[in-house]
Amino acid sequence: MYLDTAVKIPDVKGKITLQKKGKTTYVQYEYDRIYLPDKQYTTVSRASIGKLADADKMLMWPNENYVKYFPGAALPEVRDRTQRSCGLRIGTWIVIRKIVNEYNLPEILERYIPARDVGLFLDLAAYSIIEEDNRAQHYPSYAYSHPLFTEGMRIYSDSKISSFLQEMGEEAGADFLNDWNENRDHREKIYASYDSTSKKSSGDLRIVEMGHSKDDEETDIFNYSIAYDTKNREPLFYEVYPGSINDMSQLQCMVDKAKGYGYRQMGFILDRGYFSKDNISYLEDNGYSFVMMLKGKADLVREWVLENKGTFETNRANNIPEYRTYGKTIRKKIFATDKEKRYVHLYHSSVREANERGKIEDTINRHTDFLRKHINQFKDFGPKIESYFELTYEENARRKGEDNKEQVGRKFVFFEERAYAIETELNLCGYFVIITSDKMTAKEALELYKGRDSSEKLFLSDKTFLGNSSLRVGGDESAAAKIFVEFVALIIRNRMYNYLREELKAMPNKPDYMSVPAAIRELDKIEMARQLDGVYRLDHAVTAKQKTILKAFDLTEENVKYRAEEISKRLETGN
């Protein structure tokens, strides 16, 4: 994250170096130098403190590390605005304010960060929700046209935000999570959906390592996971861990954290990426139940499905109409060393079957066309194609190379489908399996697993609607603070989603403006305008569509008028 104030490159003799990458030149500061007598050389530690702002190499755009290593540097704290926008968009902010107070967030946050900074913290969370962005340099533009939680609705500069995140550090988020989870009813039986995602970062962070992102791209990432209470529909806690650690390995650490937060009556809803003998044993050894999806093409799944195929797919007693699915429960050992049989829930969906069959047929047709184009060519094919086709080659075939010299190799000459392999895969279309440690029906297991939809939507909102697909910070302290802000923003946005979803269920028609992004766009049209006397007043009445959205949050037009007057008074008095 770069500040929007250019500063002089620090005049520290022998400590500053310039490093050019592509079209950008970074300013590196040497902050430590250690001599290793056993190896007889000196190690040098450097950090990027900004990037060049001019061709004369006199000015640079600083980042958080500049604030860290040069804390005495003069940077503007309050944004230089002679006035605010003549129109303030207040609708979504009023909803966020209600939820903030509902969760008593100001009082909780004051325990871990200075009271003077709580308003800025909440403003950063509101900014990421409303603007779907997390870049500090764009925050002042948001603050220019929205009400704020800061004292006197003060608009802070991005340099103040940078120092704020730097000073908050890592402990505040950890303390908040302890507080947030301590207030739960730990005697209540809940199922927590646990899922993870990866985030990119350009900063020099301890947790950033080379790993595989969820798009299977190998790049510098860190991993971020969330445990979500599917019963009460709230995020519980988050984890941040290095990009090289995969999901399966991290699960046991998460179980230890859940125990540390005091959860005893808890089950975990997990996707297929967490399935392993060690993970299942660890969950049960610690007294936690589980609901887990299995990989559709696993040998166990094939065996169970083929054993029971034709016994439940059209039996009305096995129908689960809410999901247009049929289900059956059997008892099986998953691993040979299991002491007890598990509850294995088999499902078949005709809709899913049609979709999966279509994909397989499309794949076969695409591979067939590809193979035809390469007959009589010297080419080998990968295992995916070879799993569907028997390929014939002419060994020791001869051809002329580019240098006109004769070469010997394998020439592809013929192919035919592996009919049995294709038919077996087609026969498995539409089936999926969930295993549970607790006794329950196929319908109950499916309903619990479908509760994961909320946590998946939470990750979608984090990346898509909070602008958090990457973390734009340069230091570990700022990264920890920013992730903390993101989590609080997720708590607020998730509550907005739940309010809207409950209202939508009761509506005979399903209007398209009851999603969170659409509701934000509509509510942000509620504005206050500054008039000739300098006083902000509500610009126009609330529309019928806006009233419908506000009703989902138990708010009315009168609430909007009251908050508008309150905002106006705060701006007049500076309180």
Side-chain angles (χ1 to χ4, degrees):
M1 181 184 77
Y2 294 96
L3 313 184
D4 65 357
T5 301
V7 299
K8 287 185 177 181
I9 295 175
D11 184 13
V12 189
K13 190 174 181 180
K15 300 286 188 180
I16 300 296
T17 57
L18 302 180
Q19 182 181 18
K20 189 169 184 178
K21 288 186 179 180
K23 297 181 180 179
T24 304
T25 301
Y26 296 95
V27 181
Q28 302 280 339
Y29 171 66
E30 180 187 318
Y31 61 87
D32 199 7
R33 184 181 286 260
I34 300 174
Y35 178 71
L36 303 175
D38 54 331
K39 297 183 179 180
Q40 296 186 344
Y41 68 79
T42 300
T43 62
V44 178
S45 299
R46 293 188 177 94
S48 171
I49 59 172
K51 60 183 179 181
L52 282 186
D54 63 345
D56 295 331
K57 300 180 181 180
M58 297 292 292
L59 299 175
M60 71 175 193
W61 299 110
N63 59 21
E64 293 101 325
N65 285 335
Y66 176 76
V67 178
K68 176 180 178 179
Y69 294 114
F70 298 91
L75 291 170
E77 184 168 286
V78 179
R79 185 73 168 184
D80 184 18
R81 299 279 196 186
T82 56
Q83 59 181 18
R84 295 177 188 276
S85 170
C86 60
L88 294 182
R89 303 195 289 272
I90 67 170
T92 308
W93 185 87
I94 291 173
V95 169
I96 291 174
R97 183 186 186 281
K98 171 187 167 63
I99 295 171
V100 162
N101 290 335
E102 181 182 309
Y103 279 129
N104 204 22
L105 288 175
E107 182 179 319
I108 297 174
L109 291 169
E110 281 181 12
R111 299 170 193 166
Y112 312 115
I113 60 178
R116 68 179 185 277
D117 291 330
V118 169
L120 178 56
F121 183 103
L122 293 171
D123 283 330
L124 291 174
Y127 159 59
S128 67
I129 294 169
I130 295 174
E131 294 295 320
E132 300 178 1
D133 200 349
N134 71 353
R135 287 170 288 189
Q137 62 264 41
H138 294 171
Y139 166 77
S141 297
Y142 157 83
Y144 181 64
S145 58
H146 287 84
L148 301 172
F149 289 98
T150 51
E151 185 178 351
M153 295 199 179
R154 182 178 298 173
I155 301 174
Y156 284 112
S157 68
D158 55 356
S159 59
K160 164 61 179 176
I161 295 169
S162 179
S163 60
F164 165 64
L165 294 174
Q166 186 77 36
E167 291 165 6
M168 193 192 313
E170 301 179 25
E171 292 185 4
D175 291 337
F176 174 86
L177 288 179
N178 287 332
D179 206 333
W180 178 253
N181 287 280
E182 183 181 14
N183 294 325
R184 309 283 138 191
D185 183 358
H186 293 149
R187 298 168 298 177
E188 180 185 29
K189 174 68 175 182
I190 63 171
Y191 275 90
S193 174
Y194 178 75
D195 209 347
S196 66
T197 188
S198 56
K199 293 175 182 281
K200 298 178 183 179
S201 177
S202 57
D204 184 19
L205 309 180
R206 292 194 310 269
I207 56 173
V208 172
E209 292 182 356
M210 185 66 68
H212 287 278
S213 68
K214 297 302 179 181
D215 300 325
D216 205 30
E217 175 189 1
E218 191 171 11
T219 184
D220 288 331
I221 57 170
F222 68 92
N223 292 317
Y224 174 67
S225 61
I226 290 179
Y228 180 86
D229 179 354
T230 59
K231 182 175 182 179
N232 300 299
R233 294 182 295 180
E234 289 178 335
L236 295 177
F237 57 87
Y238 64 90
E239 297 179 299
V240 180
Y241 52 98
S244 62
I245 298 176
N246 61 36
D247 296 344
M248 191 177 293
S249 302
Q250 182 63 20
L251 180 67
Q252 295 180 21
C253 294
M254 181 277 299
V255 171
D256 293 339
K257 285 188 177 70
K259 185 185 290 186
Y261 288 129
Y263 293 106
R264 297 293 183 269
Q265 303 298 317
M266 179 182 274
F268 288 99
I269 306 172
L270 305 164
D271 74 6
R272 61 199 71 190
Y274 297 99
F275 177 72
S276 75
K277 184 178 186 299
D278 288 343
N279 280 344
I280 288 175
S281 297
Y282 200 80
L283 284 165
E284 293 190 323
D285 290 346
N286 284 277
Y288 293 116
S289 54
F290 62 85
V291 176
M292 190 179 297
M293 176 76 77
L294 288 191
K295 293 182 179 180
K297 293 183 181 179
D299 291 340
L300 278 176
V301 173
R302 288 174 180 267
E303 178 185 330
W304 295 333
V305 168
L306 293 175
E307 283 179 0
N308 292 273
K309 190 175 176 63
T311 65
F312 69 96
E313 295 89 333
T314 58
N315 190 332
R316 298 302 292 174
N318 299 105
N319 185 33
I320 309 174
E322 297 90 336
Y323 302 105
R324 299 175 70 181
T325 299
Y326 286 76
K328 176 182 180 179
T329 302
I330 59 176
R331 298 288 305 280
K332 288 284 185 179
K333 285 187 176 182
I334 301 175
F335 304 105
T337 56
D338 283 351
K339 296 178 181 178
E340 296 182 2
K341 292 181 178 180
R342 315 285 183 180
Y343 295 91
V344 177
H345 310 279
L346 308 175
Y347 302 93
H348 178 266
S349 164
S350 56
V351 174
R352 184 173 181 147
E353 178 181 0
N355 289 336
E356 291 179 355
R357 277 178 170 266
K359 289 179 181 178
I360 292 173
E361 296 290 358
D362 288 344
T363 298
I364 299 297
N365 292 338
R366 191 168 58 252
H367 288 339
T368 299
D369 292 340
F370 181 74
L371 289 170
R372 282 175 180 158
K373 292 177 182 177
H374 290 87
I375 287 179
N376 292 322
Q377 293 184 13
F378 288 72
K379 184 173 180 62
D380 287 315
F381 303 91
K384 181 69 174 177
I385 289 181
E386 291 177 352
S387 67
Y388 290 128
F389 296 92
E390 188 76 41
L391 307 180
T392 303
Y393 293 88
E394 178 187 339
E395 301 293 341
N396 299 318
R398 299 179 182 276
R399 66 170 176 175
K400 287 188 177 181
E402 293 180 1
D403 56 359
N404 213 29
K405 290 183 179 180
E406 191 174 72
Q407 296 178 345
V408 177
R410 288 206 319 164
K411 182 168 69 173
F412 171 58
V413 294
F414 181 72
F415 69 94
E416 61 181 335
E417 291 183 355
R418 294 181 185 270
Y420 179 77
I422 296 172
E423 289 165 5
T424 300
E425 193 161 326
L426 288 171
N427 283 330
L428 291 171
C429 288
Y431 292 91
F432 58 100
V433 173
I434 295 173
I435 58 172
T436 61
S437 54
D438 291 343
K439 182 179 180 180
M440 62 185 71
T441 65
K443 180 181 179 180
E444 290 168 339
L446 185 58
E447 286 175 340
L448 278 174
Y449 190 80
K450 288 293 185 180
R452 278 180 51 82
D453 290 348
S454 295
S455 66
E456 288 172 354
K457 286 184 173 67
L458 202 65
F459 274 117
L460 178 65
S461 66
D462 177 60
K463 282 194 166 186
T464 307
F465 302 123
L466 298 183
N468 293 330
S469 58
S470 63
L471 203 63
R472 303 172 180 90
V473 292
D476 293 300
E477 295 84 359
S478 296
K482 204 164 188 179
I483 291 169
F484 176 26
V485 173
E486 287 179 14
F487 184 71
V488 172
L490 278 176
I491 290 173
I492 298 168
R493 193 184 187 282
N494 180 71
R495 187 66 175 143
M496 293 174 68
Y497 168 77
N498 288 331
Y499 269 124
L500 290 166
R501 187 175 74 164
E502 290 304 309
E503 183 67 20
L504 191 61
K505 284 181 181 177
M507 300 173 73
N509 299 321
K510 306 298 180 186
D512 58 5
Y513 54 80
M514 292 297 283
S515 66
V516 177
I520 289 174
R521 287 194 298 270
E522 195 61 38
L523 291 177
D524 245 24
K525 296 176 185 176
I526 301 175
E527 290 194 10
M528 295 179 68
R530 187 180 63 240
Q531 299 182 313
L532 289 175
D533 58 1
V535 176
Y536 283 88
R537 295 181 178 88
L538 200 61
D539 190 46
H540 52 74
V542 178
T543 67
K545 189 183 293 186
Q546 290 163 350
K547 288 178 182 178
T548 302
I549 297 171
L550 289 167
K551 181 175 176 291
F553 301 101
D554 296 323
L555 294 170
T556 65
E557 185 174 11
E558 293 305 311
N559 294 125
V560 172
K561 291 178 180 178
Y562 176 81
R563 292 300 173 203
E565 291 179 7
E566 181 184 66
I567 290 168
S568 182
K569 289 177 182 176
R570 283 187 62 194
L571 289 171
E572 278 189 79
T573 60
N575 294 322

